[in-house]
Amino acid sequence: MTTANKLTIFRVVLIPVFLILLYVQFSGHVYVALGIFVVACLTDFLDGYIARHYDQITDFGKFMDPLVDKLLVICAMLWFVDMGQMPAWILLVVIAREFAVSGLRMVAAPKGYVIAAAWSGKIKTASTMICICLMLLPIPAWLNTVCFIVILVTTVWSGAEYFIRNWRMFIGEM
């Protein structure tokens, strides 16, 4: 097993730990959860770097890495919704975008076309992770609102870009 894949599995293990820490009430529990989230985010960037730099790209990594990222982000956002810190419809938009882009990739694959991650998707991921980190801190309500608006805008922008760049697939020109 490659180092990159071990880091991805480590992130899988961190997700339930992160969630437990969010819901278990003890002094500073959210700060500890934030620390776990930051470690998970850093290992996400690290495993991608290691996989590319040391030629450790595997089918397991291609499948699990984005799945684990989505699970981590959705778990955090579910907690925000549960705590009344984020409207549920924003989480629905995020989940719908993920399903839509995954569906687009599933339509493309049998045609021999690979839809690689776009820069807008990378920006969406990074800004979402930064916003989640901020939202785990005791920030003013206006900044919390700015964070979930940034998440919403980057999610819609990146999702739209995937479909705009690949629209020909739906009319049979690819």
Side-chain angles (χ1 to χ4, degrees):
M1 178 166 292
T2 68
T3 302
N5 287 347
K6 288 177 186 174
L7 287 170
T8 299
I9 291 170
F10 178 62
R11 266 198 344 277
V12 169
V13 172
L14 290 179
I15 292 172
V17 174
F18 171 66
L19 273 176
I20 290 167
L21 286 167
L22 285 175
Y23 283 99
V24 173
Q25 301 293 312
F26 65 88
S27 179
H29 69 105
V30 174
Y31 294 111
V32 179
L34 171 61
I36 297 293
F37 187 82
V38 168
V39 168
C41 291
L42 292 175
T43 59
D44 176 34
F45 292 110
L46 183 61
D47 76 15
Y49 172 79
I50 289 171
R52 286 184 300 278
H53 189 74
Y54 295 102
D55 196 29
Q56 293 185 6
I57 297 171
T58 64
D59 288 339
F60 175 83
K62 287 182 208 175
F63 172 74
M64 284 301 290
D65 183 64
L67 178 63
V68 174
D69 294 345
K70 289 166 186 42
L71 287 173
L72 180 66
V73 165
I74 289 170
C75 285
M77 292 177 73
L78 277 170
W79 186 76
F80 294 138
V81 169
D82 194 28
M83 296 295 113
Q85 200 172 336
M86 174 185 282
W89 67 269
I90 291 177
L91 175 58
L92 180 61
V93 170
V94 169
I95 292 170
R97 181 256 185 220
E98 298 306 335
F99 277 124
V101 170
S102 295
L104 180 64
R105 287 184 168 129
M106 285 190 285
V107 168
K111 298 176 182 182
Y113 187 69
V114 175
I115 299 175
W119 272 105
S120 63
K122 293 177 186 300
I123 290 168
K124 175 208 53 104
T125 299
S127 63
T128 297
M129 289 178 170
I130 290 167
C131 285
I132 288 171
C133 288
L134 288 172
M135 291 171 72
L136 286 167
L137 295 170
I139 58 176
W142 68 267
L143 185 53
N144 187 74
T145 301
V146 167
C147 285
F148 68 68
I149 289 171
V150 166
I151 291 169
L152 178 65
V153 168
T154 58
T155 296
V156 171
W157 167 50
S158 67
E161 182 185 23
Y162 277 100
F163 281 88
I164 290 167
R165 285 181 27 189
N166 297 288
W167 67 272
R168 284 188 229 121
M169 184 173 324
F170 293 105
I171 58 172
E173 291 185 21
M174 295 192 126

